[in-house]
Amino acid sequence: MMFRPYSNTDWEVVFKPGPTLRKLYVELTNRCNLSCSMCYRHSWPGRQGEMEEIIFSKLLHELPRFQYLQEIVLGGLGEPLLHSHFWEWLGRLRVAFQGKIVLTTNGLLLTSVEIVELAKLGVERIIVSVDGADKTVQQRVRGTEAGEVSRKLLELGHTIRETPGVTWWWETVWQEKNKEQLPELIKLAAQCHVEKLLVSHLMVTTPAQVGQALFDPELSEKDETILAKARNLALLHRVSLQLPKHRPVTERHCAFVEGQSTVISWDGRVSPCYRFLHGCKEYFYGRTKDVAPFHFGKLTTESLEKIWSKKDYLEFRYRVANSLYPSCPDCELLDGCDVVNRAEGDCDGGRPACGDCLWARGMILCP
């Protein structure tokens, strides 16, 4: 059954195309200087590269058209600081855009000197991925390149505290390899003056990761105890703590769509979210799913305003915002379904396929 939002004798859905974009994620590069064991880069079907001048210049030229744009996140699925023109481009972005600029980084290239420079160039929030409170656990998850962690984070935290206009969040992927350290991570975050700790479950994307996701099939009693201790410590140390949900309930909320957001890849593709930016394999609840990259247009051939206002993109946002798509994990037809293991489209014809998305169920979190 195809999705037809217009046809009903009692009501009519009217779309109003306009520059309503509020949050923009920009992937300057999808290259990275780490090879974290849990990263779904390991199952990517695509190539790597960095954004070219022609795409960035076009984006800067278009920003004034989006009068409701409040925030730009320099992130994506690579390390932004690796881009060969990062500092120059950040300065140009600050001139073109006076709203909030956020940087997501693995922190390996971050220094106290650079934090001060980032603040001068208008970055209000730095989001750093931290997957262990000590060197051993951090390297178990991220590899030996991750190096020492706590000493450097304490130094950066002191700089953050002494630098006006900039704060930082941490994000961590809570999994079997590091689950015991969540309480210690909260204590370290408090010492480092972290404003918020964002905790996500692991999205399993390779056979080697199977068994690492704590929600699959369900949280153990021991894991529940770790969470309870983490919550209490966060309250005690006044660290804002955002935890994921632990089971795929039918109620869904897409932070990307409901936040009026879009994502631009390093090569100019405009995707609705991180999940469809590059595609990957997904393994959960004994099933394997091939998620293909999906975009509504490319900045190399169209304007961002035109792409954002396309009928199919408007219909997609309406569909997702109102949960007018299947809910695969709790569907009684799941076991015999031929559609669920492909991400080409949902069983009702909607594209891209969101029925099996763990992001919308609050189990996998993005900043």
Side-chain angles (χ1 to χ4, degrees):
M1 179 178 69
M2 295 297 292
F3 170 62
R4 302 183 185 282
Y6 300 103
S7 56
N8 192 292
T9 56
D10 296 325
W11 49 262
E12 180 182 20
V13 176
V14 178
F15 293 123
K16 299 178 179 179
T20 56
L21 181 66
R22 294 184 181 274
K23 188 173 182 178
L24 178 62
Y25 292 83
V26 181
E27 180 185 67
L28 296 179
T29 179
N30 66 351
R31 297 192 181 108
C32 190
N33 49 351
L34 288 176
S35 184
C36 301
S37 63
M38 76 290 190
C39 184
Y40 69 84
R41 299 166 59 85
H42 296 301
S43 70
W44 274 0
R47 60 195 179 95
Q48 297 185 29
E50 69 174 31
M51 186 174 287
E52 296 181 352
E53 170 65 33
I54 189 171
I55 296 174
F56 186 71
S57 293
K58 185 175 183 180
L59 177 61
L60 292 185
H61 180 72
E62 283 203 60
L63 290 181
R65 302 179 191 176
F66 294 94
Q67 62 193 47
Y68 303 105
L69 185 61
Q70 300 170 347
E71 183 175 338
I72 294 179
V73 180
L74 300 178
L77 299 172
E79 173 52 54
L81 291 168
L82 284 179
H83 193 281
S84 55
H85 299 291
F86 174 82
W87 293 101
E88 175 201 346
W89 284 15
L90 177 58
R92 291 165 61 189
L93 176 62
R94 175 76 287 174
V95 172
F97 175 69
Q98 297 303 308
K100 179 184 291 185
I101 299 176
V102 177
L103 172 69
T104 65
T105 172
N106 60 38
L108 207 64
L109 301 177
L110 205 57
T111 67
S112 292
V113 172
E114 288 178 334
I115 285 176
V116 174
E117 188 63 22
L118 288 169
K120 288 179 180 178
L121 292 173
V123 174
E124 296 182 30
R125 179 181 300 143
I126 302 169
I127 303 176
V128 180
S129 57
V130 182
D131 293 297
D134 61 43
K135 178 179 178 180
T136 301
V137 176
Q138 181 88 334
Q139 291 189 359
R140 184 188 305 159
V141 177
R142 307 174 82 182
T144 56
E145 297 89 349
E148 181 57 67
V149 56
S150 57
R151 185 171 55 197
K152 178 177 181 179
L153 292 173
L154 286 166
E155 178 187 339
L156 296 180
H158 176 75
T159 303
I160 289 276
R161 186 179 187 182
E162 299 299 318
T163 305
V166 62
T167 60
W168 69 340
W169 290 6
W170 287 359
E171 57 179 340
T172 188
V173 178
W174 193 48
Q175 55 188 298
E176 190 66 36
K177 287 183 177 181
N178 65 2
K179 67 178 184 179
E180 303 277 359
Q181 285 223 320
L182 184 57
E184 294 303 315
L185 195 59
I186 291 171
K187 293 178 185 178
L188 181 61
Q191 293 175 348
C192 295
H193 314 290
V194 173
E195 186 178 70
K196 183 174 184 176
L197 177 61
L198 182 70
V199 181
S200 175
H201 276 303
L202 170 69
M203 181 71 252
V204 177
T205 60
T206 68
Q209 297 168 1
V210 173
Q212 289 293 313
L214 300 176
F215 65 85
D216 191 356
E218 61 182 17
L219 283 188
S220 67
E221 185 176 337
K222 182 178 181 179
D223 296 340
E224 293 280 10
T225 301
I226 293 172
L227 280 182
K229 185 175 181 179
R231 291 190 194 97
N232 289 336
L233 284 169
L235 286 171
L236 177 65
H237 294 289
R238 298 182 180 181
V239 175
S240 177
L241 178 65
Q242 183 174 350
L243 295 173
K245 294 182 179 178
H246 311 301
R247 56 184 61 87
V249 296
T250 304
E251 181 183 0
R252 294 155 290 170
H253 297 280
C254 176
F256 285 93
V257 168
E258 294 180 13
Q260 293 286 76
S261 309
T262 200
V263 186
I264 300 176
S265 69
W266 65 272
D267 55 357
R269 289 173 291 114
V270 180
S271 295
C273 62
Y274 277 162
R275 184 175 184 238
F276 292 111
L277 191 61
H278 295 294
C280 63
K281 278 188 178 291
E282 294 178 351
Y283 299 78
F284 53 89
Y285 301 118
R287 296 185 282 113
T288 305
K289 192 181 193 79
D290 289 307
V291 180
F294 187 95
H295 63 272
F296 286 99
K298 294 188 69 173
L299 291 187
T300 51
T301 57
E302 300 174 283
S303 70
L304 180 58
E305 185 176 20
K306 180 179 179 180
I307 296 169
W308 178 253
S309 301
K310 281 184 176 180
K311 179 184 175 183
D312 58 346
Y313 201 175
L314 287 164
E315 288 185 352
F316 169 80
R317 299 201 298 273
Y318 172 81
R319 169 188 173 88
V320 172
N322 292 280
S323 299
L324 300 176
Y325 59 96
S327 179
C328 299
D330 54 1
C331 176
E332 61 183 12
L333 302 177
L334 178 64
D335 290 341
C337 181
D338 292 328
V339 179
V340 71
N341 292 330
R342 304 190 306 271
E344 299 166 1
D346 282 319
C347 60
D348 62 352
R351 294 184 73 244
C354 295
D356 228 6
C357 179
L358 297 183
W359 279 260
R361 297 171 197 276
M363 300 173 71
I364 313 298
L365 303 180
C366 292

